[in-house]
Amino acid sequence: MDKSDSTVAQQVAQAASAFQQRRTGHVPKSVGVVLSKDMLVITLYEALSPAEKALAKSPEGATQVREFHRQLFNSSSDTLRQEITRITGVEVREAIAEVGPTSGTVVQSFTTGTVVQVFLLAGSVAAGNWHGSQPGE
């Protein structure tokens, strides 16, 4: 796909996947990107290596995997933040990462000081069932 023909979400997903591969050597199975006002959430599905998945089967191992990915993200996320700024044209103020060791999912959030709560559902919600407004809209 020609980068000029791809959407902002697709470009961010490609950048996040490449970032994950460079820093861990493991390519996620897929990448989801959601933008809501001033918050960008990137979800990397099946992003853990087989060794990390095996380690995460115990509570102690899951804690180790989670902490490893947090530290790795904190120490290396500047390049991804710069790429997101280039793609979106908006500066990234904050970035956090959370790992679901049992699912192998890595969630990266880029915010402007908001509280982020991420819930990984067991399945998809039908688009027709998803409507309504939030306070303040």
Side-chain angles (χ1 to χ4, degrees):
M1 165 174 27
D2 182 4
K3 208 168 196 172
S4 63
D5 292 338
S6 61
T7 67
V8 169
Q10 289 168 328
Q11 290 178 49
V12 169
Q14 291 167 352
S17 183
F19 172 73
Q20 181 73 2
Q21 182 179 18
R22 278 192 307 273
R23 65 184 190 128
T24 67
H26 186 77
V27 179
K29 184 175 183 180
S30 64
V31 180
V33 177
V34 176
L35 177 63
S36 176
K37 293 187 180 187
D38 61 355
M39 183 175 59
L40 173 68
V41 178
I42 301 169
T43 307
L44 307 171
Y45 296 95
E46 296 186 35
L48 300 181
S49 70
E52 290 171 318
K53 288 179 189 176
L55 180 61
K57 288 183 179 179
S58 73
E60 299 83 14
T63 299
Q64 286 180 320
V65 170
R66 188 177 291 116
E67 188 56 30
F68 169 73
H69 277 273
R70 271 194 205 128
Q71 288 180 10
L72 185 60
F73 182 80
N74 289 339
S75 67
S76 64
S77 67
D78 282 347
T79 57
L80 182 56
R81 290 168 68 138
Q82 291 168 3
E83 188 65 3
I84 290 169
T85 297
R86 184 192 67 73
I87 293 167
T88 64
V90 179
E91 181 182 353
V92 175
R93 290 188 189 165
E94 291 183 57
I96 59 170
E98 185 59 42
V99 177
T102 55
S103 66
T105 303
V106 176
V107 178
Q108 302 167 340
S109 302
F110 302 87
T111 70
T112 57
T114 57
V115 173
V116 178
Q117 297 176 333
V118 178
F119 298 88
L120 184 60
L121 304 177
S124 298
V125 175
N129 295 334
W130 193 258
H131 57 85
S133 63
Q134 292 78 34
E137 287 192 330

